[in-house]
Every structure is written in C-alpha cells, then in structure tokens.
Amino acid sequence: MDEKVMLGHGSGGSMMKRIIDEVFFEAYAGDELLAGNDAAVLSIPEGSRLSFSTDSFVVTPHFFPGGDIGRLAVCGTVNDVATSGAKPLYLSCGFILEEGYPIADLKRICASMAEVAKEAGVRIVTGDTKVVNRGHGDGVFINTSGVGVLTPGVNLGGQYCQPGDKVLVSGTLGDHGITIMSQREALSFFADIESDAAPLNHLIANVLEAAPDVRCFRDPTRGGLASTLNELASQANVDITVDEERVPVKDAVRGACEMLGYDVFQVANEGKMVCVVPADQADAALAAMRASTYGQDAAIIGEVSASTEGRGNKVYLRTAFGSTRVLDMLVGEQLPRIC
Amino acid sequence: MDEKVMLGHGSGGSMMKRIIDEVFFEAYAGDELLAGNDAAVLSIPEGSRLSFSTDSFVVTPHFFPGGDIGRLAVCGTVNDVATSGAKPLYLSCGFILEEGYPIADLKRICASMAEVAKEAGVRIVTGDTKVVNRGHGDGVFINTSGVGVLTPGVNLGGQYCQPGDKVLVSGTLGDHGITIMSQREALSFFADIESDAAPLNHLIANVLEAAPDVRCFRDPTRGGLASTLNELASQANVDITVDEERVPVKDAVRGACEMLGYDVFQVANEGKMVCVVPADQADAALAAMRASTYGQDAAIIGEVSASTEGRGNKVYLRTAFGSTRVLDMLVGEQLPRIC
C-alpha cells in the first residue's frame, strides 16, 4: 500500500482504484459502493418525501479530543438531515486530498466515519476522490451530503415558531469550539474539554415521538446558539428570550471563554440540538432529550414572544444579574475552520 | 458588497448570511433554499427509487473555453446521476473558498451553474459555504451531490454488459482534457479547442426511449475512454474491442495529443457518454444520440466479447494499421486537476 497520497490517486485510473479499494472500501464498503457504478440506486419507503442536505468539512486540526474530521463529517450531515424530522438513510462522501497526506491518517478518518455512520444507522453509498497538488489544499477536506426520508405529516421549520413556545437545548454549549481552539493554540490547561461531535438523529426521533408538535430543530454549529436563535427569530418574525442561568455550560468551557474573551453563545457546537416546542409539550420534550444518549444535560432555556413592534426580530439574554441584553448574531469570524 | 472572500464569510454569522443572500441566492434561489432550514424537504413521484451521486471539482484554471468550474460541477453530477437511467432532479452545492478569492469570479461561477442547471432541468436545493485561510485552498473547490428518480424496471449498470453488445460514444474524445492542458500551459495554437462540458441527461433519456434494453451508460471523465471501458470489462467479466478508426476525435485534439505525447483514449471528457447496448438496438441508440443536442458526432465504436480464458478482462484497440493492442487503464496521473 502507498504511504502518502499522490496525484495519481485522483486520476480516475488504476491508482485511484487502489486507494478506493484499500482505503474507502476497506472502511465502509456496502453493496452500492461495491457495484462500481457512477451513481447509487437506492430504495425508499413508499410515499416518503426526501430530506437532503450537504456540508463540507475543513476543520483543523484533523484529530482532536472527542473526535476527528471524519466523525464531524458524518455527524454534521446526519444532524442537518435529521433537523427536518427525517430519518437519515444515505450519505455521499467526497474527499479533496492534498498530495503528500499520510494514508494512515486517511484510514483513521475513514474508520471513524464508518463507526459513527453505524451508530447513526446511515450508510455511505457513493463517493468521490480528488487530489490537489501540494500547497493547494490542507491535507483533507471532506464533503458529505445526506438523504433521509420524511413520514407524511411531519413539517418542521424555523418559520413555525410561535409566541409562547419554549426553547430547549440538548446539552452544554461551546464544547466543540473551545476544544478546537485549545488544540490549535496548544493550551494544555483545557485538557479535560472534548468535542461534543455526535449523531443526534436518535435523540430527535425520541423528542418527536414525545412531543409531536415540535416546531423545529436546529443544530447550533458555526455561529453558535446566538446565530441559530437569530435565524429562527427572523424566519418566524418573533422575539426569543433566553435565561443565561438556565443555559448549560461546563465550568471549564466557561472559564476558557472568560479567559480568552469568547462569548459562549457564539461558539460552535457539533453535538447539540436546539428545539422549539409548544409550551405544553416542553416537559415531555425535555424528558425525551434527557433519556437519550447525548441529551443528559438538556434544559429549557427560553421562550418565544411576539416581535416588539418596529424593532425587528430580536434575541434577548436575561443575564444572571437580572439585566437583559440583545444577543446578536456573530459578526465576522471568531474561530475560523471550526468544522 | 464585499469584493473578496473573507474568513467571516464562512463563520455561520451575519457575514455568511450576506454572501449567501448576495451571491448564492441571487444566482439560484428557489423555495427550498429560501426557506432557510438546514435540510431541503423534497417531493418525489410515488414508487420511485433514488439515484444518488457526488463529485468534487478542483479544476484549474477556473474559467476555460467552453465552460468553467461551475458548469463542470453541475454537468458532472447531473451526468453521474443520469447514467443510472434516472431523471436528475435536485442538486446540493458545497463551496470551499479560499480567503481573498474575488467575489466577482464567484458570482460568475454561480451564474454559470444556474444557467446549466436550468438547461438540465435540475434545481440547487441545499448548500454550504466554507472558507479556508489564504494559502490553504486554491480559490474555489465545489462539491455537488445529486438526487434523481428512477422509474420501475430501469436497471442499468456495467455488470450487465454481454458478449455481442455494441459500444457507442456520444461524440468526440479528448476535448475537455486538451482544452484544460492548453490553457494551463498557455499553448495558444490550440485556440480553437474548447471543453465539451455539457449536461447529458436529455440525451440519455432519448437513448433509453429508443433502445430500452441499454445495458449501461458511463461518462468517460478522468482516465478517459480507456479507464471507463476497463471498468466495464471488469464489472461484467468480458472483453471489449474498439476500432480506432471509428472513434471520433477532432483533428486539433489529435494533433495536440501527438505533439504532447498524450493518449487520447486516456484524456478526460466532460460532455460525452459511453453506452453499451444489445446489437439489435445499436442503430436506434445511435440515431437517438445523433438527434440529441450534444450527440451529433456519436458513433458505434466497438463490441463486447466473451473474456479470453485466463487473460483477465481486457480492452483491445484495433488500430488503423490493422494491428491490435491492449488499451490499458490509466496508470498514475496524466493531467492533474482536470475536473
């Protein structure tokens, strides 16, 4: 086996066949991939609608406590597809490799993808490999796209949030962003923080069963909770108010944010879900989250209200001191290449 | 509007919202994109199976005679989905942009994507934007993934090729690869060659209607016709013999290949389709190709035969001089980053 990625691995010829056989098929071959055609042919249940989403992953470093770029790539798209209420079934996977990247690292990434895909219950059914010259990429970029199926009657979306609804988050904020930052800057005193990267499709299914009138799910990745809530407020033409004291944040993450000047509400998460539900189903949704593998720290953190006339759709934070401030969408860039 | 891509355009915050609104939505907004949720919810006809494919595009230069990276990105995935016999419906689009890339170039790429998506009858329904630091990418990389629907009874694939079948190609070979190479090396005497990048889903639909027992379609992109035919021979455990004189090649492309030492059978195409059909439907398939927008130069170029015992699955070229040579799969890399 080759030790490094070479331009020929992206050639369409016999070297590409070799990397496909020895790396990708070895990690996650299924019938569709092994068939060797240009597109995968897939069955779906009668009467389904599709949910379709895509994400590219450019995180650096590629390996970090709690995960790696491969785990992120599978979880990110699984979670995006699942936010619609769909059951994610199939993933595509496109690699853009840089000449010289160690094949051993690529194998480790693929093994991680296979493992978390299995946990999520999705299959990688089609793929693509490109190689760029040394100095024109950054080791490995991954695109995953995902297809899921939606049962009739499930219609979720930010536009459905209504005054009176409750806002839930499935766990602690900021773990992923602070982990990446501490790795990048080699801040070893944050050694006990790790990324939350996780597939949340089972958690979402559990919540939907317990609270069938959920308005929407949204994963607060880049831009953090602040950007996610601002998007929802804008989509639904409402205000949202969050109680700072009710938002779960690990002490180490809170400490890191204070020391480094980050707003934890703008830090990226990769294994958390925001959920808006009618008030009378909030407790049921919370219980379903807490009973799920990745939802033990879930909390009801705020509520939706009618938009204040003439002031746009605002997100407010009621602070621990009793004051209220506007929680703005992230402007510019806080932590580049977080996912 | 910003003039250059900045890291903040990939932040998940308000700058990202701006580039999405002003560049991507401006070019190809539809209901699903405008809904602003993390996944697009899509209808498909009852009883359909799905066809799903993905491709990343890293071609350089980004603009070339006959197309650009955006046109390639749409055509490549449309064609891959269509090879299964499916009707391509929906595309995802993931951009990996390098800090400093001109927004004007990005707009030009998106306009090109929108134009060819319209021609192909597909819609870009979900997307993602990442930005990498200057020096860690190469201006723009694009991933497109595509979903199509397959009507019952259509089952195509390389494994179905049988001895006696005829092999067709929809037009001249090598145009795309030689165009890119001549642009990259600034060889101005090839000024009259242009890329063949084109959506072939309508051509495929026409051929399927005229020759319903088509075994498979395959687009001879990276690795060229030689790699495609070797893949088919291997999938179906057959030999394939091609008549060199029947393979359409433009004089300028032939001249360029001779001068530069390329084998035109290994040069990439981005708007050509290989089709294997039972002999009694070959003429009907050929007529359907020739009647299609991108198939005027189509030809029957060879036939499938039983694999010669003990010699593996070979592809042979009967040369203009009457001799026969083995047409091997591309080894290593001929023209890196051709698509």
Side-chain angles (χ1 to χ4, degrees):
Chain A
M1 183 61 207
D2 309 307
E3 288 189 359
K4 302 272 187 188
V5 170
M6 292 179 276
L7 284 172
H9 287 128
S11 65
S14 60
M15 281 183 68
M16 192 163 91
K17 187 172 179 323
R18 199 160 71 219
I19 198 175
I20 291 173
D21 286 349
E22 297 185 11
V23 179
F24 305 122
F25 284 4
E26 184 68 23
Y28 46 68
D31 291 345
E32 295 85 2
L33 276 175
L34 291 172
N37 292 313
D38 281 341
V41 173
L42 307 165
S43 298
I44 57 163
E46 282 285 315
S48 303
R49 288 162 301 157
L50 298 184
S51 171
F52 185 28
S53 191
T54 192
D55 235 331
S56 300
F57 296 83
V58 300
V59 67
T60 169
H62 300 143
F63 301 95
F64 44 80
D68 54 64
I69 189 171
R71 183 173 173 90
L72 274 194
V74 170
C75 295
T77 292
V78 162
N79 292 347
D80 279 347
V81 169
T83 56
S84 66
K87 178 182 167 68
L89 292 178
Y90 305 116
L91 292 187
S92 67
C93 179
F95 282 97
I96 299 176
L97 303 171
E98 184 187 5
E99 186 185 13
Y101 192 67
I103 295 280
D105 286 358
L106 185 60
K107 285 190 165 187
R108 195 174 148 200
I109 289 167
C110 290
S112 172
M113 296 180 77
E115 185 189 340
V116 71
K118 192 174 171 192
E119 180 188 346
V122 298
R123 289 192 299 124
I124 299 168
V125 294
T126 186
D128 176 58
T129 312
K130 293 291 189 303
V131 181
V132 296
N133 329 57
R134 204 181 290 267
H136 290 87
D138 202 2
V140 55
F141 299 144
I142 306 177
N143 176 283
T144 50
S145 301
V147 173
V149 289
L150 257 173
T151 46
V154 176
N155 291 297
L156 309 182
Q159 68 273 29
Y160 299 122
C161 299
Q162 290 176 26
D165 288 349
K166 296 293 181 187
V167 179
L168 283 74
V169 66
S170 65
T172 56
L173 288 192
D175 301 26
H176 177 73
I178 295 300
T179 301
I180 295 298
M181 193 277 310
S182 69
Q183 287 294 306
R184 219 180 270 167
E185 308 298 335
L187 300 176
S188 57
F189 46 98
F190 298 132
D192 56 339
I193 306 179
E194 64 176 34
S195 170
D196 57 351
L200 300 176
N201 51 322
H202 300 313
L203 178 145
I204 286 178
N206 293 346
V207 172
L208 264 180
E209 202 179 321
D213 296 323
V214 163
R215 312 295 189 197
C216 68
F217 296 100
R218 184 77 53 98
D219 57 337
T221 56
R222 285 177 290 171
L225 182 70
S227 294
T228 293
L229 295 183
N230 273 284
E231 284 171 23
L232 299 181
S234 167
Q235 277 182 278
N237 189 27
V238 294
D239 287 353
I240 296 176
T241 302
V242 169
D243 278 313
E244 187 169 25
E245 288 196 301
R246 302 171 77 175
V247 178
V249 180
K250 291 199 174 97
D251 288 341
V253 170
R254 193 187 308 277
C257 285
E258 280 173 11
M259 184 177 308
L260 299 161
Y262 291 117
D263 182 344
V264 73
F265 293 97
Q266 296 189 334
V267 175
N269 312 280
E270 292 291 338
K272 295 295 152 29
M273 200 51 67
V274 170
C275 173
V276 179
V277 287
D280 62 357
Q281 296 183 9
D283 288 336
L286 180 65
M289 274 188 184
R290 287 189 173 165
S292 302
T293 309
Y294 297 108
Q296 297 93 326
D297 299 321
I300 298 172
I301 60 167
E303 62 275 322
V304 177
S305 58
S307 185
T308 316
E309 188 98 29
R311 296 187 55 183
N313 313 113
K314 295 281 186 192
V315 179
Y316 298 100
L317 185 73
R318 225 178 272 131
T319 70
F321 309 106
S323 62
T324 297
R325 70 172 172 94
V326 170
L327 198 58
D328 268 329
M329 194 175 239
L330 177 63
V331 180
E333 180 55 289
Q334 190 181 45
L335 285 165
R337 300 181 58 186
I338 206 69
C339 64
Chain B
M1 183 59 207
D2 309 308
E3 288 189 358
K4 302 271 187 188
V5 170
M6 292 179 276
L7 285 171
H9 286 128
S11 65
S14 60
M15 280 183 69
M16 192 163 90
K17 188 172 179 321
R18 199 160 71 219
I19 198 174
I20 290 173
D21 287 349
E22 298 185 12
V23 179
F24 306 122
F25 284 3
E26 184 68 23
Y28 46 67
D31 291 345
E32 295 86 1
L33 276 175
L34 291 171
N37 292 313
D38 280 342
V41 173
L42 307 165
S43 298
I44 57 163
E46 282 285 315
S48 302
R49 287 162 302 156
L50 297 184
S51 171
F52 185 27
S53 191
T54 192
D55 235 332
S56 299
F57 295 83
V58 300
V59 68
T60 168
H62 300 143
F63 300 94
F64 44 81
D68 54 64
I69 189 172
R71 183 174 173 89
L72 274 194
V74 171
C75 294
T77 292
V78 161
N79 292 347
D80 278 348
V81 169
T83 56
S84 66
K87 178 182 165 70
L89 292 178
Y90 305 116
L91 292 187
S92 67
C93 178
F95 282 96
I96 299 177
L97 304 172
E98 185 186 6
E99 186 185 12
Y101 192 68
I103 296 280
D105 286 357
L106 185 60
K107 285 190 166 187
R108 195 174 148 202
I109 289 166
C110 291
S112 171
M113 295 180 77
E115 185 189 340
V116 70
K118 192 172 171 195
E119 180 189 345
V122 298
R123 288 191 300 123
I124 298 168
V125 294
T126 186
D128 176 58
T129 312
K130 293 291 188 304
V131 181
V132 296
N133 330 56
R134 204 181 291 267
H136 290 87
D138 202 1
V140 55
F141 299 144
I142 307 177
N143 176 284
T144 51
S145 300
V147 173
V149 289
L150 257 173
T151 47
V154 176
N155 290 297
L156 310 182
Q159 68 272 29
Y160 299 122
C161 298
Q162 290 176 26
D165 288 349
K166 296 293 182 186
V167 179
L168 282 74
V169 66
S170 66
T172 56
L173 287 192
D175 301 26
H176 177 73
I178 294 300
T179 300
I180 296 298
M181 193 278 307
S182 68
Q183 289 293 307
R184 219 180 270 169
E185 308 297 335
L187 301 176
S188 57
F189 46 98
F190 299 131
D192 56 340
I193 306 179
E194 65 175 35
S195 170
D196 56 351
L200 300 176
N201 52 322
H202 301 314
L203 177 145
I204 285 177
N206 293 345
V207 173
L208 263 180
E209 202 179 322
D213 296 323
V214 162
R215 311 296 188 195
C216 67
F217 295 99
R218 184 75 53 99
D219 56 338
T221 57
R222 285 177 290 171
L225 182 69
S227 295
T228 293
L229 295 183
N230 272 283
E231 285 171 24
L232 298 181
S234 169
Q235 278 182 278
N237 188 29
V238 294
D239 287 353
I240 296 176
T241 302
V242 169
D243 278 313
E244 187 170 23
E245 288 197 301
R246 302 171 78 175
V247 177
V249 180
K250 292 199 173 99
D251 288 342
V253 170
R254 194 187 307 276
C257 285
E258 279 174 10
M259 185 178 307
L260 299 160
Y262 291 117
D263 182 344
V264 73
F265 292 96
Q266 296 189 334
V267 175
N269 312 281
E270 292 291 337
K272 294 295 150 34
M273 200 51 67
V274 169
C275 173
V276 180
V277 286
D280 62 356
Q281 295 183 9
D283 288 337
L286 180 66
M289 276 190 183
R290 288 189 172 164
S292 301
T293 309
Y294 297 107
Q296 297 93 327
D297 299 320
I300 298 173
I301 60 167
E303 61 275 322
V304 177
S305 57
S307 184
T308 315
E309 189 97 27
R311 296 187 55 183
N313 314 114
K314 296 280 187 192
V315 178
Y316 297 100
L317 186 72
R318 225 179 271 132
T319 70
F321 310 106
S323 62
T324 297
R325 69 172 173 95
V326 170
L327 197 59
D328 268 329
M329 193 175 240
L330 177 63
V331 179
E333 180 56 288
Q334 190 182 44
L335 285 165
R337 299 180 61 185
I338 205 70
C339 64

